[in-house]
Amino acid sequence: MSSEGEFGVVAIVGVGLIGGSLGMALRRRGLSSTVIGVGRNMERLRKAVALGAIDVYSTDLAATAAEADLIVLCTPVSRIVSDLPIVLSAARPDAAITDVGSVKSVIVAASGGDPRFVGSHPMAGSEMTGVEAARLTLFQEATWAVTPHFANSIQTTDRIVNLGRSVGSEVHVMAPHIHDGAVAITSHLPHVMSAAFMRIAARDAKENPSLRVMTAGSFADATRIAASSPDLWRDICLSNRSAVLGAIDSLTKQLELARALIESDDADGLHRFFAESSAAKSEWPGR
Amino acid sequence: MSSEGEFGVVAIVGVGLIGGSLGMALRRRGLSSTVIGVGRNMERLRKAVALGAIDVYSTDLAATAAEADLIVLCTPVSRIVSDLPIVLSAARPDAAITDVGSVKSVIVAASGGDPRFVGSHPMAGSEMTGVEAARLTLFQEATWAVTPHFANSIQTTDRIVNLGRSVGSEVHVMAPHIHDGAVAITSHLPHVMSAAFMRIAARDAKENPSLRVMTAGSFADATRIAASSPDLWRDICLSNRSAVLGAIDSLTKQLELARALIESDDADGLHRFFAESSAAKSEWPGR
């Protein structure tokens, strides 16, 4: 197949929110010759075509991987790990392969040091799922991490860096374990925290129905991502286990500190607890 | 003074975000004859006049309370508690007095069962503070709790219920302890949680600067209210101590559960943890 557009024939494996949005962005910006959506549910794949997320679809992963210039794995982490060997053995020697999973070390490890694979992670998810939620602008101004390993050439890494940039993201290159440590705090912990909080609210609302009306912005913020996909977040937590456990322990310690200050009526200490947090938030960059 | 408008002469004690927005709403809707702002900082009070939040201002709490038909205490909780005796001894026998504090039991207790006082709580705060952030529409579609006690007549309670309704809020009447138990979960715990989380992120970002760029919507949500006023939240936590401690304990237990599931690689259990939260969020009403 001829390779028109910067990325030629692009195979998107898993056409949900992220995969569908990426397909849309590549197609509308003329960055691909063909976007092939790969999945197992024909009805959803047909919907992806109708929504303009992909040009054509296939249910044959190996055959599609064999004809693609760029392969992007957009499924939950456990499936990326199980699909990678199939993709790596089918793909051409000059193909570039990446994924959009929220953890990177286990996925890079699953690639076995294959020089064609460079992990990446566009931080553009949401509590919504499915190709119905896909949108052209999902990646604009989002952070997109690219996590090369020792076997990658600069050229291969650059193809994935360009992929992120070409759809409008701000790309940051970092080692897989640095990525995983950072997102354990900035993304994985908030998801665990939100789920934990929502479970408490739901349980307590049975005893005190006033909870259901006594909510404002802080409740909305604390629970938005509680609606996220259980499959996705189970996979993420188990694939980034030690960093997520460390993040949970840090939170537990901070809560113990707040608890002790409140219990002992330590007004100065509690003021400092909130003031340090408030100062940290105001010094934090942008979003 | 003549009592024009439904609420006549209204004294607003503490002209910040909430007090200023209430003054604006009363004035623009023609619900008051005069809105008198009471405070101690003349510069801020003059700014409140310039912004249209109040008609006039005073630094004499007792004298202003003596001429008002309605007195609304809009300062942090500890100041409401210390100002209440002054207001109650100065106010006319037919005056109605309320407050907008985020906790109700300690404030109702501080009113000593005075029939003129009915506690209330418009859930319309934000991480912003000061009269500069005040806006006319702050209370529209917000929840406004009114928490009468045994000595209040229906007439007095109704005046405060009407105050909330007249500025566009959805008013719910409930006992002070029911209110405090509900907001300990829906509002106070999210604030403690957000502050605790922000402290971790700031500390870990010193070791791993990637944290500062690896952020998306979940981080923004988790930290928005970390910027809230330390004075306000110290007061709230200490004034609703037992309910807030119980809420922190509930969260710690949920985090321990998540931790155990992740550590033991219990994929089914962890899926259930997230799935129950996701189901609870989708069944939760509105905002």
Side-chain angles (χ1 to χ4, degrees), chain A residues 114-203:
Chain A
D114 191 298
R116 297 169 298 172
F117 178 81
V118 184
S120 79
H121 176 208
M123 295 191 72
S126 99
E127 75 283 12
M128 294 176 295
T129 53
V131 71
E132 301 81 358
R135 57 181 206 273
L136 195 56
T137 57
L138 188 70
F139 304 104
Q140 281 174 23
E141 290 169 43
T143 293
W144 186 311
V146 175
T147 62
H149 58 91
F150 67 94
N152 294 130
S153 65
I154 291 173
Q155 287 72 21
T156 311
T157 301
D158 277 354
R159 275 166 86 177
I160 307 307
V161 168
N162 287 340
L163 176 66
R165 288 201 183 130
S166 69
V167 295
S169 291
E170 193 183 294
V171 176
H172 296 273
V173 177
M174 63 190 74
H177 75 279
I178 295 289
H179 168 276
D180 289 354
V183 294
I185 299 293
T186 60
S187 165
H188 306 174
L189 182 56
H191 279 83
V192 171
M193 198 164 87
S194 180
F197 175 71
M198 189 69 231
R199 292 167 59 89
I200 298 166
R203 186 199 62 197

Side-chain angles (χ1 to χ4, degrees), chain A residues 66-284:
Chain A
E67 63 174 319
D69 297 298
L70 171 67
I71 301 153
V72 188
L73 301 168
C74 302
T75 54
V77 176
S78 60
R79 178 148 292 271
I80 293 173
V81 168
S82 61
D83 281 349
L84 250 180
I86 301 165
V87 169
L88 292 170
S89 66
R92 298 200 316 258
D94 63 341
I97 304 154
T98 190
D99 75 296
V100 300
S102 297
V103 299
K104 298 273 61 83
S105 299
V106 294
I107 292 173
V108 171
S111 76
D114 191 298
R116 297 169 298 172
F117 178 81
V118 184
S120 79
H121 176 208
M123 295 191 72
S126 99
E127 75 283 12
M128 294 176 295
T129 53
V131 71
E132 301 81 358
R135 57 181 206 273
L136 195 56
T137 57
L138 188 70
F139 304 104
Q140 281 174 23
E141 290 169 43
T143 293
W144 186 311
V146 175
T147 62
H149 58 91
F150 67 94
N152 294 130
S153 65
I154 291 173
Q155 287 72 21
T156 311
T157 301
D158 277 354
R159 275 166 86 177
I160 307 307
V161 168
N162 287 340
L163 176 66
R165 288 201 183 130
S166 69
V167 295
S169 291
E170 193 183 294
V171 176
H172 296 273
V173 177
M174 63 190 74
H177 75 279
I178 295 289
H179 168 276
D180 289 354
V183 294
I185 299 293
T186 60
S187 165
H188 306 174
L189 182 56
H191 279 83
V192 171
M193 198 164 87
S194 180
F197 175 71
M198 189 69 231
R199 292 167 59 89
I200 298 166
R203 186 199 62 197
D204 285 18
K206 285 179 193 157
E207 299 289 313
N208 181 355
S210 297
L211 259 82
R212 296 194 178 268
V213 296
M214 294 302 291
T215 59
S218 62
F219 184 85
D221 283 0
T223 61
R224 182 183 60 86
I225 53 174
S228 301
S229 157
D231 292 327
L232 202 63
W233 285 95
R234 174 202 55 203
D235 276 17
I236 290 169
C237 290
L238 296 180
S239 318
N240 196 19
R241 193 187 312 179
S242 70
V244 172
L245 289 177
I248 292 174
D249 290 343
S250 294
L251 181 60
T252 304
K253 271 184 202 135
Q254 288 294 325
L255 292 172
E256 278 165 6
L257 171 58
R259 192 193 200 294
L261 295 169
I262 294 168
E263 192 161 42
S264 63
D265 207 18
D266 183 347
D268 291 345
L270 192 59
H271 189 275
R272 208 174 313 123
F273 182 87
F274 284 115
E276 285 171 0
S277 144
S278 177
K281 173 63 177 172
S282 58
E283 285 158 16
W284 197 271

Side-chain angles (χ1 to χ4, degrees), chain A residues 121 123-125 143-145 170 172 174 177-179 181-183 185-205 208 210-231 233-235 237-238 241 244-252 254-268 270-285 287, chain B residues 121 123-125 143-145 170 172 174 177-179 181-183 185-205 208 210-231 233-235 237-238 241 244-252 254-268 270-285 287:
Chain A
H121 176 208
M123 295 191 72
T143 293
W144 186 311
E170 193 183 294
H172 296 273
M174 63 190 74
H177 75 279
I178 295 289
H179 168 276
V183 294
I185 299 293
T186 60
S187 165
H188 306 174
L189 182 56
H191 279 83
V192 171
M193 198 164 87
S194 180
F197 175 71
M198 189 69 231
R199 292 167 59 89
I200 298 166
R203 186 199 62 197
D204 285 18
N208 181 355
S210 297
L211 259 82
R212 296 194 178 268
V213 296
M214 294 302 291
T215 59
S218 62
F219 184 85
D221 283 0
T223 61
R224 182 183 60 86
I225 53 174
S228 301
S229 157
D231 292 327
W233 285 95
R234 174 202 55 203
D235 276 17
C237 290
L238 296 180
R241 193 187 312 179
V244 172
L245 289 177
I248 292 174
D249 290 343
S250 294
L251 181 60
T252 304
Q254 288 294 325
L255 292 172
E256 278 165 6
L257 171 58
R259 192 193 200 294
L261 295 169
I262 294 168
E263 192 161 42
S264 63
D265 207 18
D266 183 347
D268 291 345
L270 192 59
H271 189 275
R272 208 174 313 123
F273 182 87
F274 284 115
E276 285 171 0
S277 144
S278 177
K281 173 63 177 172
S282 58
E283 285 158 16
W284 197 271
R287 65 184 136 244
Chain B
H121 176 207
M123 295 191 72
T143 291
W144 186 310
E170 193 182 294
H172 296 272
M174 64 190 75
H177 75 280
I178 295 289
H179 168 277
V183 294
I185 299 292
T186 60
S187 166
H188 306 174
L189 182 57
H191 280 83
V192 171
M193 197 164 86
S194 180
F197 176 72
M198 189 69 230
R199 292 167 59 89
I200 298 166
R203 186 198 64 196
D204 284 18
N208 181 355
S210 297
L211 259 81
R212 296 193 180 268
V213 296
M214 294 302 291
T215 58
S218 63
F219 184 84
D221 284 358
T223 61
R224 182 182 61 84
I225 53 174
S228 300
S229 157
D231 293 327
W233 286 94
R234 173 202 54 202
D235 275 17
C237 290
L238 296 180
R241 192 187 311 179
V244 172
L245 289 178
I248 292 175
D249 290 344
S250 293
L251 181 59
T252 303
Q254 287 295 324
L255 292 172
E256 278 166 7
L257 171 58
R259 191 192 201 295
L261 295 168
I262 294 169
E263 192 161 43
S264 63
D265 207 19
D266 183 346
D268 290 346
L270 192 58
H271 189 275
R272 208 175 310 122
F273 182 87
F274 284 115
E276 285 171 2
S277 143
S278 177
K281 173 62 176 171
S282 59
E283 285 158 16
W284 198 271
R287 67 184 137 244

Side-chain angles (χ1 to χ4, degrees), chain A residues 5-24:
Chain A
E6 186 175 347
F7 300 104
V9 176
V10 180
I12 292 182
V13 184
V15 191
L17 170 63
I18 303 281
S21 297
L22 184 59
M24 277 180 193

Side-chain angles (χ1 to χ4, degrees), chain B residues 25-40:
Chain B
L26 292 171
R27 293 183 70 238
R28 299 280 185 91
R29 289 170 186 248
L31 294 163
S32 55
S33 59
T34 311
V35 174
I36 311 175
V38 183
R40 292 180 298 177

